[in-house]
Amino acid sequence: MLLSDTLSKNYIKLDPERNKEVKIYVCGVTVYDYSHVGHARVFIVFDVLRRLLQKKGFKVTYVQNFTDIDDKIINRARELGTSYKEVSERFIKAYLEDSDALNLLRADLYPRATEHIQDIEEFIKGLIDKGHAYISSDGVYYDVNSFKDYGKLSKIKKEELIAGARIEANENKKNPLDFALWKKYDEEPYFETVFGKGRPGWHIECSAMIRKNLGETIDIHGGGEDLIFPHHENEIAQSEGLSGKPLAKIWMHVGLVKFGKEKMSKSLHNVVYIRDFLRKYGPNTLRVFSLSSHYRAQLEFNEEKIKEAIESWKSIEDAKYSLMQTFDISSDVDVADIKREIDLAFKDLENDLNTPSALNHMLRASKIINKLWASLKISAEVSDKLKEFQDLFEVFGFKLTETTSKEREMIEELIVKRNRLRQERDFKNADAIRKTLLEYKVKLIDTPLGTFWRKVEVL
């Protein structure tokens, strides 16, 4: 398994015989609002990576944090006339609802910044002791000049960063690029530490949470490409300044979702919230859309790409049903072409998570399966030969639309009634039942071997 490393610009090989356990940390959301499609793409990419690693025999420990104390959260709380804790709890709950709706595997741990104040305090003490940080009148700052490799992730020299930096003048800093580890505040909310009342800087939160929950060096650190600088660059300075060891063996960054030339961002007021997208199109469509470009490439959000994702999902969805709704027949079908496409899809995924190419191979396999089903050639034996399709379906994190037992009972009763009406040649009322079922996104397929129904995501 090969993965591209942002830091070295090389492909790093993961071998389950040598790397039996893979520790992954992905920067999560700041919980002051609902999460949007740009966030979803990042978490879908790492969900597929995690599923693939597990399928290949790796033991994966996956950690994704919540930033639950931040100026944005505090300002939102003031707008709503409530506490920052209530705001963070509300949007953590909303994020987890969206995550479950997207069929994202739950993280092994969701650490919160406010739960790690003591760890942050100890981390900062260590940086001061090693000469990487200094106390100032308004807080504690990291001394960028103390870390000789600063800029190695973003590939930008310190001189260039200073020249292009939009940094407010602060006489408490030694250097314009020095960043806050601890910010002093006398008004609520604040936390008591040896540095005085205040709140942690954004970057130190992740460094402390990684060290506490995963150790000094992890296997994969991920997030959106907008985190390369300053967030991940500063994490490296902090963590490696303290430990003297690499923070991560592999740095993975997901390209932004863009509206035209602008990134999808709450500050630009051009976001599409996950829950709004799901109501209109569904979770599998969002997965296909998010994976339709290589994860390192940026992805433009537009109706044309969404329509393409819908059509692709419809074909995959039908293929999944086709392998479930087998015919009670004797059928000896050559499935070599299907297996070859599935094998190629897995090879693409193992080559730096090349999801667009893997999806294309899955689509080719799906079309062959659907043609066989339409020709009444998918028997239980044929389906058993294609268990690899189910494996691929699971690695992509796809999931068929669920129905309750009450819904299934209602659908079956209507189909029985429709079949009786058709026998009585009452086609008008029979067609009315079909239309009623379509309102529930239930598609009927009449075959010589009976009527089959499928609950679909998008009609």
Side-chain angles (χ1 to χ4, degrees):
M1 173 117 188
L2 292 176
L3 292 172
S4 178
D5 173 35
T6 306
L7 178 59
S8 67
K9 298 295 184 184
N10 292 325
Y11 288 100
I12 308 295
K13 184 177 182 180
L14 287 177
D15 184 343
E17 294 303 314
R18 297 177 62 189
N19 311 84
K20 293 189 182 297
E21 182 178 4
V22 177
K23 296 179 181 179
I24 302 175
Y25 182 92
V26 177
C27 289
V29 291
T30 300
V31 283
Y32 70 98
D33 199 354
Y34 296 108
S35 299
H36 58 68
V37 169
H39 296 135
R41 188 188 187 207
V42 173
F43 302 128
I44 288 169
V45 165
F46 284 101
D47 185 65
V48 172
L49 174 64
R50 182 183 179 189
R51 290 169 181 270
L52 179 63
L53 289 170
Q54 290 174 334
K55 187 68 72 176
K56 287 179 64 63
F58 293 92
K59 179 189 175 186
V60 179
T61 302
Y62 183 90
V63 176
Q64 183 180 311
N65 76 299
F66 288 120
T67 297
D68 65 338
I69 182 71
D70 181 89
D71 289 345
K72 292 176 181 177
I73 297 171
I74 295 166
N75 292 336
R76 188 69 187 273
R78 287 168 180 160
E79 287 175 16
L80 298 174
T82 186
S83 70
Y84 83 92
K85 288 183 179 179
E86 289 180 358
V87 169
S88 61
E89 286 297 334
R90 172 184 171 184
F91 290 111
I92 286 172
K93 181 175 181 286
Y95 170 82
L96 292 174
E97 289 171 351
D98 291 343
S99 175
D100 291 343
L102 275 171
N103 198 32
L104 297 173
L105 296 174
R106 286 282 183 110
D108 294 299
L109 188 65
Y110 291 104
R112 305 184 186 193
T114 57
E115 297 170 344
H116 289 75
I117 298 300
Q118 186 176 346
D119 301 310
I120 292 168
E121 182 180 13
E122 292 301 319
F123 202 114
I124 296 172
K125 284 181 188 176
L127 288 174
I128 292 172
D129 290 343
K130 291 206 167 189
H132 288 296
Y134 57 92
I135 299 173
S136 188
S137 61
D138 62 346
V140 184
Y141 289 93
Y142 189 94
D143 184 356
V144 167
N145 284 333
S146 72
F147 189 71
K148 65 181 179 64
D149 290 330
Y150 192 80
K152 66 180 180 178
L153 183 68
S154 58
K155 307 296 186 290
I156 308 173
K157 295 178 181 178
K158 280 188 281 190
E159 301 77 34
E160 295 172 354
L161 288 170
I162 292 171
R166 292 177 296 174
I167 302 171
E168 292 182 14
N170 186 337
E171 62 184 14
N172 298 301
K173 291 184 181 185
K174 292 180 180 179
N175 183 302
L177 289 178
D178 292 351
F179 55 89
L181 301 172
W182 188 259
K183 294 177 281 189
K184 290 185 179 179
Y185 292 100
D186 288 323
E187 60 181 33
E188 294 278 4
Y190 59 74
F191 304 89
E192 292 272 9
T193 68
V194 294
F195 312 115
K197 298 175 182 177
R199 301 195 289 270
W202 173 35
H203 317 299
I204 194 66
E205 295 172 358
C206 284
S207 285
M209 286 187 275
I210 291 171
R211 186 180 180 87
K212 174 72 172 181
N213 297 295
L214 293 173
E216 293 177 331
T217 300
I218 62 176
D219 297 284
I220 299 170
H221 194 323
E225 68 174 359
D226 54 333
L227 298 183
I228 294 174
F229 185 86
H231 186 51
H232 288 167
E233 194 74 72
N234 291 350
E235 274 190 61
I236 288 173
Q238 294 165 161
S239 297
E240 297 186 8
L242 183 61
S243 71
K245 301 174 184 177
L247 173 56
K249 296 173 185 176
I250 300 172
W251 287 87
M252 292 179 65
H253 292 97
V254 179
L256 302 174
V257 175
K258 304 189 79 174
F259 261 117
K261 294 183 179 180
E262 300 284 359
K263 78 168 184 175
M264 187 176 288
S265 167
K266 291 171 188 172
S267 62
L268 296 174
H269 306 291
N270 63 357
V271 300
V272 175
Y273 292 115
I274 293 172
R275 50 191 50 204
D276 292 336
F277 187 102
L278 296 186
R279 274 192 288 267
K280 189 171 182 180
Y281 302 110
N284 296 293
T285 298
L286 183 49
R287 276 187 175 264
V288 174
F289 168 75
S290 298
L291 301 169
S292 62
S293 291
H294 192 277
Y295 75 87
R296 285 187 279 113
Q298 295 186 344
L299 178 61
E300 186 175 342
F301 187 91
N302 60 51
E303 288 298 323
E304 183 181 347
K305 288 189 180 294
I306 293 169
K307 286 178 183 177
E308 289 173 1
I310 289 170
E311 292 308 309
S312 295
W313 168 243
K314 282 181 178 180
S315 182
I316 294 168
E317 181 183 51
D318 274 338
K320 171 65 174 167
Y321 273 119
S322 294
L323 294 176
M324 292 169 57
Q325 299 174 333
T326 59
F327 300 111
D328 187 14
I329 55 172
S330 176
S331 177
D332 185 20
V333 176
D334 184 359
V335 295
D337 288 348
I338 301 171
K339 283 179 171 288
R340 183 164 51 251
E341 294 293 345
I342 296 169
D343 184 54
L344 289 170
F346 272 111
K347 286 181 178 177
D348 281 330
L349 291 176
E350 291 162 10
N351 182 21
D352 196 26
L353 217 63
N354 189 347
T355 57
S357 183
L359 277 171
N360 284 334
H361 287 298
M362 190 178 194
L363 280 169
R364 292 189 189 109
S366 297
K367 288 173 183 176
I368 299 170
I369 291 168
N370 292 332
K371 284 181 181 178
L372 288 173
W373 194 89
S375 302
L376 311 180
K377 292 181 180 178
I378 299 289
S379 63
E381 292 79 10
V382 171
S383 181
D384 285 341
K385 291 179 184 178
L386 294 172
K387 290 193 180 297
E388 298 91 341
F389 186 90
Q390 173 64 23
D391 291 339
L392 187 59
F393 192 89
E394 290 175 357
V395 166
F396 271 116
F398 296 138
K399 187 178 181 181
L400 293 179
T401 305
E402 294 179 339
T403 53
T404 65
S405 57
K406 188 174 181 180
E407 286 175 322
R408 289 192 293 274
E409 185 179 340
M410 179 269 291
I411 292 165
E412 297 288 354
E413 286 178 357
L414 286 175
I415 289 173
V416 168
K417 183 178 179 181
R418 174 178 174 269
N419 288 341
R420 188 180 70 247
L421 290 169
R422 292 177 76 206
Q423 288 175 350
E424 296 169 357
R425 304 188 68 77
D426 185 353
F427 298 115
K428 181 180 178 181
N429 285 318
D431 196 48
I433 290 175
R434 176 190 285 274
K435 289 178 180 176
T436 297
L437 288 171
L438 282 175
E439 292 174 8
Y440 291 93
K441 293 187 178 178
V442 175
K443 181 172 67 173
L444 300 183
I445 306 173
D446 296 312
T447 78
L449 297 177
T451 298
F452 294 83
W453 64 271
R454 298 174 176 182
K455 177 90 171 184
V456 298
E457 184 168 284
V458 185
L459 288 170

